[in-house]
Amino acid sequence: MAEDSIAVVDLDRCQPDRCNYECANFCPPNRTGKECIVPREDRYEENEPYEGGPKQVSISEEICLGESCGICVEKCPFDAIEIINLPQELDEEPTHRYGENAFALYGLPAPQEGKVTGILGPNGIGKTTAVRVLAGEIDPNLGRYNDPPSFEQVLDEYRGTELQTYLESLESGDVTVARKPQYVDKIPDQFSGNTRELIESVDERGVADDLVERLNVAPVIDQDIDTLSGGELQRVALAATLVRDADFYFLDEITPYLDIGQRVTAARLIRELAEEEDRSMLVVEHDLAVLDLLADSIHVAYGRPGAFGVVTPPKSTKNGINEYLKGYLENENMRIRQEAIEFEEHAPRSVRTGARDVLVEYPAMRKSYGDGEFTLEVEAGQIRNDEVLGIVGPNGIGKSTFAQLLAGRLEPDEGDLDTRLDISYKPQYVEIDQPMRVDAFLSSITDDFGSSYWNTEIAQPLQLERIMEQSLTDLSGGERQRVAIAACLSEEADLYLLDEPSAHLDVEQRVLATRAIRRYTENHGATAMVIDHDIYMIDLLADRLQVFDGTPAEYGHAGEPVGMREGMNEFLANLDVTFRRDERTGRPRINKPGSKLDREQKNAGEYYYAPDADEE
């Protein structure tokens, strides 16, 4: 194989007990007597002893003819093989490779003291692997997984770069690391106790009280960790990470389950710690507006998820995000996506033709929990046929409660709610613990499973093909989210309720999920309600907006649905946040509080749909 190609075998998908070794039998080099595709233990019997049963395969990258052949890829019945031509511009050895025919990472981000460094890229592209190397959890093998290099050899690879100094400090033990996990919903599985005990046990800087107040953790400070919501867990995880006294902070997805106000607060805290304490901050984030607000520079990660990933040298935050959206990296002369991710630059569309008929008219309602601990009041309103209704508001304000009222999972204390609707509901927290395969799960929901229509409208946009044969319990957070969205859309229903469908999805997956939801409603004349904190996802999806306000965890008020401009202005005015549009891409960007554009837009009452402008 050419030096710029790799072969990847997914051992979780390779099932030799269910095939006839089509990959090896049809391989052209094998048919000429060469050993290109062979039983795995035959090649590394000493390191990977054969324990009986069918034998998975390995592929010789030296013998393989490369992507231009691809016969084994086509013949494998389980989609377990990838033969990939690496970018011609990639002339370096891997930073780390997990083994033969396994994932390879090229390049590393470079932490800088007193700076916030962002990483932007798809899921499964090696961002966490890069951070594990920087945290000292993985010794980079420079692709030599059978003969790992010494530390001096690794250091030679990065001599003369900022990474040399960092790796030397890491090796000598002079660098301490604090990490915020990606999936905060797993924290209760790792810690038993209340919030106060967790935060105080790691408060090395003596700033717990300040962070508890600013992140609004005080209301749950004495609650058990396993009783917290996703948004509460996210804020507790941020507090527990930022109270640590570390040189290098790694924050993996700070925005899931946080509302816009909380996201801005988190971004400000991270920037303050970098600037005032001279700490190195590395942030992986898919909310482009927040990443734009907090990062000093951006590393773009690209490649083939699960196969290889490349981390670019740092770029300016604005250029890095814009190039990623455009799908073309200028310095690298690399196209990473065929189509650009585009944003609407002007005011929202008018309501679609045919969306004026009323699907359901619900009454004014009231719902309280406990002894008046939280009360939600809902104004009477209408949900129309053939529309997507966006629902926005702070956390703890009753949005999910409203969804559950409509879904019949809760009964109102006041108000005669009798919707008589078939409702398909995707909850905020996706808990899938059924020991069954994805394809079996989805086929149990719809008779359309596997049809041309279902594959085109649901499976392909949600990128489900490669996980169909995986067990539900083995899925990542993003994979669970996509399966849950597919399950919701696969049911026959009058109303589709999707609670935070963007959580744990990367930028491209959010765009694809948005298209899938909107296309489904348009093609079926269906009605959907989408609760989400990703402002652009709501803007792209929604025909109208319902705004929730009040005092989180105490009182919530749900207004009647209104037009997008009116709703967005009301919502962002409550949060005292304005957005501008990037002059090149039209993407939403948060204005710095008190800036000229921020003041001008507030005076004009245009918090989101403002004319294109670049902030001074």
Side-chain angles (χ1 to χ4, degrees):
M1 182 186 288
E3 292 182 359
D4 60 350
S5 299
I6 62 172
V8 178
V9 178
D10 188 338
L11 298 183
D12 291 330
R13 302 177 66 87
C14 180
Q15 302 179 53
D17 57 331
R18 297 177 58 197
C19 75
N20 295 312
Y21 289 106
E22 287 88 348
C23 59
N25 292 335
F26 286 92
C27 173
N30 275 30
R31 300 183 72 169
T32 63
K34 298 178 180 178
E35 294 187 343
C36 180
I37 303 179
V38 298
R40 178 164 291 265
E41 78 285 352
D42 286 359
R43 182 161 288 146
Y44 293 110
E45 187 171 358
E46 180 179 349
N47 296 331
E48 301 179 23
Y50 178 50
E51 297 179 354
K55 307 170 184 179
Q56 294 179 310
V57 300
S58 64
I59 302 175
S60 169
E61 294 179 344
E62 290 74 22
I63 300 175
C64 179
L65 300 178
E67 191 173 348
S68 59
C69 170
I71 291 177
C72 58
V73 177
E74 295 297 327
K75 293 296 183 180
C76 176
F78 307 111
D79 197 22
I81 298 175
E82 290 188 85
I83 308 296
I84 302 166
N85 289 340
L86 295 175
Q88 294 181 357
E89 294 79 4
L90 192 65
D91 56 1
E92 59 187 83
E93 294 298 321
T95 298
H96 187 75
R97 196 167 190 188
Y98 281 97
E100 182 189 27
N101 303 144
F103 180 86
L105 174 68
Y106 296 81
L108 286 174
Q112 300 181 60
E113 290 187 7
K115 300 292 185 180
V116 180
T117 303
I119 307 180
L120 174 60
N123 290 328
I125 211 73
K127 300 185 297 294
T128 299
T129 296
V131 171
R132 292 186 65 194
V133 170
L134 296 176
E137 298 175 8
I138 294 178
D139 294 326
N141 59 25
L142 306 183
R144 292 152 47 184
Y145 43 86
N146 282 323
D147 182 24
S150 65
F151 174 73
E152 288 72 21
Q153 291 172 315
V154 173
L155 209 58
D156 284 340
E157 184 72 17
Y158 298 102
R159 195 164 301 280
T161 70
E162 293 177 336
L163 281 169
Q164 176 189 354
T165 302
Y166 177 84
L167 292 174
E168 287 176 334
S169 299
L170 185 67
E171 176 70 11
S172 63
D174 294 335
V175 171
T176 55
V177 179
R179 292 183 59 183
K180 188 203 79 67
Q182 179 180 16
Y183 301 119
V184 296
D185 52 342
K186 298 185 182 296
I187 293 177
D189 298 333
Q190 303 167 356
F191 179 86
S192 60
N194 64 32
T195 302
R196 186 187 303 275
E197 292 168 344
L198 172 60
I199 294 177
E200 290 183 350
S201 68
V202 292
D203 184 17
E204 299 167 349
R205 298 198 297 125
V207 295
D209 291 343
D210 178 56
L211 289 180
V212 163
E213 178 182 355
R214 296 182 64 181
L215 288 168
N216 195 30
V217 174
V220 298
I221 193 66
D222 291 314
Q223 285 187 216
D224 289 339
I225 289 294
D226 60 5
T227 67
L228 303 185
S229 69
E232 291 164 347
L233 280 171
Q234 188 70 267
R235 302 198 305 276
V236 168
L238 278 166
T241 304
L242 298 180
V243 297
R244 297 279 306 278
D245 187 11
D247 302 297
F248 171 48
Y249 294 80
F250 169 56
L251 303 155
D252 199 344
E253 293 193 31
I254 64 173
T255 63
Y257 311 124
L258 297 187
D259 60 47
I260 294 178
Q262 293 166 343
R263 294 179 184 200
V264 172
T265 296
R268 289 172 181 167
L269 286 171
I270 293 168
R271 285 216 57 86
E272 287 175 12
L273 187 55
E275 294 172 354
E276 298 175 10
E277 301 288 338
D278 208 30
R279 310 298 175 104
S280 297
M281 318 294 288
L282 188 62
V283 180
V284 173
E285 184 50 58
H286 300 300
D287 186 316
L288 299 182
V290 170
L291 191 61
D292 188 24
L293 183 66
L294 67 84
D296 294 294
S297 61
I298 292 285
H299 292 270
V300 175
Y302 67 93
R304 186 83 64 87
F308 80 98
V310 182
V311 179
T312 70
K315 302 173 180 287
S316 73
T317 301
K318 179 179 178 179
N319 288 342
I321 294 177
N322 285 351
E323 288 180 15
Y324 180 78
L325 292 174
K326 186 178 179 181
Y328 176 73
L329 305 179
E330 296 181 0
N331 290 343
E332 291 76 15
N333 189 28
M334 173 61 56
R335 178 155 296 282
I336 61 174
R337 192 186 317 105
Q338 291 302 314
E339 296 182 1
I341 297 175
E342 298 179 344
F343 293 83
E344 294 182 14
E345 299 185 33
H346 305 291
R349 69 201 71 78
S350 59
V351 176
R352 285 174 283 157
T353 302
R356 298 186 181 278
D357 295 336
V358 175
L359 173 68
V360 60
E361 186 167 352
Y362 56 86
M365 295 181 287
R366 182 184 180 93
K367 176 65 180 178
S368 295
Y369 289 97
D371 188 17
E373 294 177 2
F374 175 79
T375 298
L376 170 66
E377 292 186 349
V378 180
E379 292 184 21
Q382 297 177 341
I383 301 173
R384 301 170 178 169
N385 280 310
D386 187 31
E387 78 167 347
V388 178
L389 178 63
I391 299 181
V392 295
N395 279 329
I397 211 72
K399 299 186 303 298
S400 295
T401 296
F402 178 64
Q404 293 183 64
L405 285 170
L406 290 179
R409 299 192 175 193
L410 291 175
E411 293 290 334
D413 301 327
E414 299 179 13
D416 184 15
L417 179 63
D418 184 14
T419 62
R420 297 181 181 177
L421 296 176
D422 289 328
I423 296 177
S424 181
Y425 178 51
K426 187 208 81 68
Q428 180 179 17
Y429 309 116
V430 180
E431 298 179 0
I432 299 177
D433 55 7
Q434 300 176 2
M436 60 191 304
R437 293 188 353 174
V438 172
D439 52 4
F441 170 66
L442 292 174
S443 64
S444 69
I445 294 174
T446 176
D447 293 335
D448 289 331
F449 178 81
S451 68
S452 175
Y453 158 78
W454 191 89
N455 287 331
T456 301
E457 299 297 319
I458 295 178
Q460 292 177 10
L462 293 172
Q463 300 177 322
L464 299 180
E465 294 90 341
R466 287 190 58 80
I467 62 173
M468 281 296 186
E469 296 186 352
Q470 293 187 30
S471 171
L472 292 170
T473 55
D474 294 335
L475 300 179
S476 69
E479 290 167 343
R480 289 200 308 271
Q481 188 71 262
R482 282 147 46 206
V483 170
I485 295 171
C488 179
L489 297 180
S490 295
E491 293 187 20
E492 290 291 333
D494 300 309
L495 178 64
Y496 295 85
L497 289 177
L498 297 105
D499 198 342
E500 198 152 355
S502 73
H504 301 307
L505 299 186
D506 62 41
V507 175
E508 295 177 58
Q509 290 168 345
R510 292 181 188 196
V511 171
L512 292 172
T514 297
R515 291 175 181 170
I517 296 168
R518 188 157 185 90
R519 182 182 298 170
Y520 185 89
T521 61
E522 291 175 343
N523 291 346
H524 284 255
T527 300
M529 296 177 61
V530 178
I531 302 171
D532 211 284
H533 298 300
D534 186 310
I535 282 296
Y536 181 67
M537 189 172 193
I538 287 291
D539 182 27
L540 185 64
L541 268 174
D543 298 296
R544 294 191 301 155
L545 208 60
Q546 184 176 25
V547 180
F548 282 63
D549 57 15
T551 303
E554 295 181 16
Y555 170 75
H557 167 261
E560 65 176 328
V562 296
M564 287 296 294
R565 182 189 295 274
E566 179 184 350
M568 198 70 83
N569 283 337
E570 177 187 349
F571 171 52
L572 294 178
N574 291 339
L575 295 174
D576 198 32
V577 173
T578 61
F579 280 75
R580 70 189 184 281
R581 298 285 180 155
D582 183 86
E583 76 281 2
R584 289 179 57 190
T585 65
R587 66 180 171 89
R589 303 179 67 187
I590 298 176
N591 288 322
K592 294 179 182 178
S595 67
K596 179 181 178 182
L597 281 178
D598 183 56
R599 297 193 306 270
E600 289 178 350
Q601 288 181 217
K602 288 176 180 176
N603 289 336
E606 291 289 358
Y607 285 74
Y608 190 72
Y609 297 110
D612 299 349
D614 196 20
E615 188 174 50
E616 293 181 352

